[in-house]
Amino acid sequence: MEIRFVLNGKETQVSTAPDRRVVDLLREDLGLTGTKEGCGSGECGACAVLVNGESRLSCLMLAAQLDGKALTTIEGAPEDGRLQALQEAFVRCGAVQCGFCSPGMIIAAADLLGARPDTGREAIREGLSGNLCRCTGYAKIVDAVQAAFEKLQGGPTP
């Protein structure tokens, strides 16, 4: 089947099987390997992408569901101010350990910062609770999300 959607700001048309998962379409067909597949069952958040600005698990979503939607992956960060600020904060705060969870964490945090402009540390923890870090670097991840929030609000940055 043919589907059309906006991928990282660019009109995209692909031919794919109706039962193809979004994570497979991105990684195998489109070469966008920033989106990771961890558990493959919606438990770890490593495969998070933004669909119409909201975080979705690409391992649980069929490619056909993208038709007519806007999809942003971690590779779309340069076009999205929230994602870019989060990436910079993750590096600055040392929130990247092995890096496997980072794309999903950043995508989930971008959704959180877009939905809750008054995000505090507890709200950040709750907002990222669906994303697992195998290295358990949660404190620095929360620091990074808070720093990105402050930067986006025009406040202090560490």
Side-chain angles (χ1 to χ4, degrees), residues 78-92:
E79 287 82 32
D80 184 302
R82 281 182 295 164
L83 286 175
Q84 188 169 15
L86 283 160
Q87 286 180 320
E88 291 168 0
F90 267 62
V91 171
R92 191 173 54 253

Side-chain angles (χ1 to χ4, degrees), residues 5-65:
F5 57 102
V6 177
L7 175 61
N8 295 331
K10 297 179 183 161
E11 290 287 335
T12 303
Q13 180 175 346
V14 297
S15 179
T16 187
D19 60 347
R20 187 110 169 114
R21 299 179 313 161
V22 172
V23 68
D24 298 325
L25 178 75
L26 291 171
R27 293 183 58 80
E28 297 171 13
D29 300 351
L30 301 174
L32 297 173
T33 57
T35 301
K36 308 297 184 203
E37 181 171 9
C39 66
S41 61
E43 298 292 327
C44 73
C47 66
V49 294
L50 293 174
V51 177
N52 289 346
E54 295 182 5
S55 179
R56 296 288 181 255
L57 300 173
S58 63
C59 72
L60 298 180
M61 188 173 185
L62 296 177
Q65 294 174 289

